[in-house]
Amino acid sequence: MTDWHWLFGDQLGPHFLAPGTGGPTRDSQVVMIEARSVFRRRRFHRAKAHLVLSAMRHRAAELGGRVRYIRAETYREGLYEALGDASVTVHHPTSRAALGLVRSLEQVRLLPARGFLVPQEAFAAWADERGAGRLRQEDFYRWVRHALGLLVDGDSPAGGRWNHDHANRERPPRGASTLGAPEPYRPDEDDTHHIPRLMLLGSHALQRGWDPRQVTDWFHRCFVAGYDWVMLPNVTGMSQYADGGRMTTKPYTSGGAYIHRMSDLCEGCAYRPGDRAGDRACPFTTGYWSFAHRHRDLLAANQRTARAVQGLDRLGNLEEVLATDRRWDEEAP
């Protein structure tokens, strides 16, 4: 009897077909399914859709006669077209929707997730030890390094530091005309890295009070890295603070002065990072103070944001700042 293994479009690395307990085996045949319903469920950036489909088809070409590649309306229909009622294994998918689907199919046997350093059971045990308390990324990061012996010298971090967050708060060097690499210096697609994503796009959404679910969905659709395991912690948790602070210690937002200090993104802008009123007032600066005012009680109780609330009381023109900021409720900056 033929052993079949199902690969999703984000399970294309060689480790997803490496033999393991419960499957797949070296002789397992592979089924891959292009489901049109996936691209209808939410609007995709064209480049992201192209990359996913191209990656799947290239992987299928590498596997040659080992793969049965199906284009269908849905995964369920594609699986039936490929295998009928035959049994198939699949590694734990990376999205809730896909996980719910495979669990609903009697012919599918679910295997442990691959692609992560830590098994899900180990993470669950770590989280359970904390009960209803905090699940800080920094705490988990240190725990993993201890558990796996990564960049540690005994009980201490290699080099004497657990992280280099302090360096991330320093102003980057200016005046470098190139990065020592051939043009283009930035990727043509998906070139909005950590700072633009979180400190600009995410911060603006947080300040404006947009629905975190809709913001997360937008990131899902518009970025190549837009998958649940990336977007939920980075957008829902870190960027939008929509988990109530279980993962991070404070909302990830700032005024224009910080953005100007930490980047070159303010050069040529029509607004002035230091202005909080008037026609040239920076939308991030007015948005920051408006956000702090709106959530004064919550922020005052957090030692990492209490200073922002204290700053509110020293502004002297808070009502003017709030009035300036309200114009962005009606028009884009």
Side-chain angles (χ1 to χ4, degrees):
M1 184 178 68
T2 302
D3 291 328
W4 287 96
H5 185 75
W6 181 5
L7 285 181
F8 278 96
D10 56 356
Q11 297 180 337
L12 305 181
H15 53 290
F16 285 101
L17 286 180
T21 303
T25 68
R26 294 186 185 279
D27 299 323
S28 292
Q29 295 294 103
V30 177
V31 62
M32 298 175 68
I33 303 168
E34 279 186 20
R36 288 184 288 273
S37 60
V38 172
F39 295 93
R40 270 201 293 271
R41 189 169 64 243
R42 59 162 57 103
R43 294 181 62 187
F44 273 77
H45 190 294
R46 183 183 296 271
K48 177 178 179 177
H50 177 86
L51 180 64
V52 171
L53 293 175
S54 177
M56 290 181 66
R57 294 172 188 178
H58 278 82
R59 183 59 171 144
E62 292 174 354
L63 295 171
R66 187 182 176 187
V67 67
R68 186 171 293 178
Y69 197 92
I70 302 294
R71 294 180 175 91
E73 186 63 29
T74 66
Y75 283 129
R76 192 183 298 269
E77 293 175 9
L79 193 64
Y80 185 79
E81 179 182 341
L83 305 180
D85 295 324
S87 298
V88 62
T89 57
V90 67
H91 287 296
H92 194 290
T94 59
S95 75
R96 289 181 178 271
L99 179 61
L101 170 68
V102 300
R103 283 177 168 167
S104 72
L105 299 171
E106 293 185 2
Q107 71 191 100
V108 178
R109 182 159 56 87
L110 188 62
L111 301 178
R114 289 190 179 178
F116 299 96
L117 277 176
V118 178
Q120 290 175 304
E121 296 78 9
F123 172 76
W126 175 83
D128 286 344
E129 289 178 358
R130 281 145 184 79
R134 69 181 200 173
L135 298 176
R136 298 286 187 260
Q137 290 179 322
E138 176 71 13
D139 297 341
F140 180 67
Y141 173 68
R142 296 189 185 194
W143 177 79
V144 170
R145 285 176 60 177
H146 273 304
L148 301 182
L150 297 174
L151 298 175
V152 291
D153 292 326
D155 291 331
S156 302
R161 290 184 179 273
W162 284 109
N163 62 56
H164 290 274
D165 285 351
H166 63 289
N168 290 337
R169 299 186 183 100
E170 296 176 2
R171 181 182 177 90
R174 295 292 186 272
S177 58
T178 74
L179 299 179
E183 294 188 35
Y185 306 118
R186 296 179 177 178
D188 289 330
E189 197 281 330
D190 209 27
D191 63 354
T192 45
H193 53 80
H194 174 79
I195 292 298
R197 288 192 196 190
L198 296 183
M199 290 305 297
L200 296 181
L201 298 173
S203 179
H204 184 70
L206 178 67
Q207 291 177 359
R208 304 258 56 88
W210 293 346
D211 186 333
R213 288 169 296 188
Q214 294 185 20
V215 174
T216 303
D217 182 70
W218 182 83
F219 274 95
H220 261 291
R221 291 184 280 110
C222 294
F223 292 94
V224 170
Y227 291 94
D228 283 354
W229 67 273
V230 180
M231 293 296 106
L232 292 180
N234 282 7
V235 179
T236 306
M238 181 182 294
S239 168
Q240 301 305 296
Y241 203 62
D243 64 348
R246 289 204 76 190
M247 284 184 51
T248 55
T249 57
K250 67 181 182 69
Y252 205 75
T253 191
S254 72
Y258 181 83
I259 296 172
H260 182 50
R261 185 168 72 251
M262 298 300 294
S263 75
D264 58 3
L265 298 172
C266 296
E267 296 179 7
C269 181
Y271 303 105
R272 294 171 177 167
D275 286 12
R276 46 180 195 265
D279 292 339
R280 302 292 297 276
C282 173
F284 286 96
T285 300
T286 63
Y288 176 79
W289 291 117
S290 180
F291 174 81
H293 173 72
R294 197 162 63 246
H295 300 287
R296 174 188 289 265
D297 292 343
L298 175 68
L299 300 178
N302 183 332
Q303 62 178 355
R304 295 200 64 192
T305 54
R307 290 181 62 184
V309 177
Q310 295 168 6
L312 275 174
D313 299 326
R314 294 194 297 267
L315 286 184
N317 64 338
L318 177 59
E319 291 304 319
E320 186 181 6
V321 174
L322 298 179
T324 302
D325 187 63
R326 281 194 290 271
R327 78 196 225 203
W328 307 128
D329 293 334
E330 304 297 332
E331 59 183 274

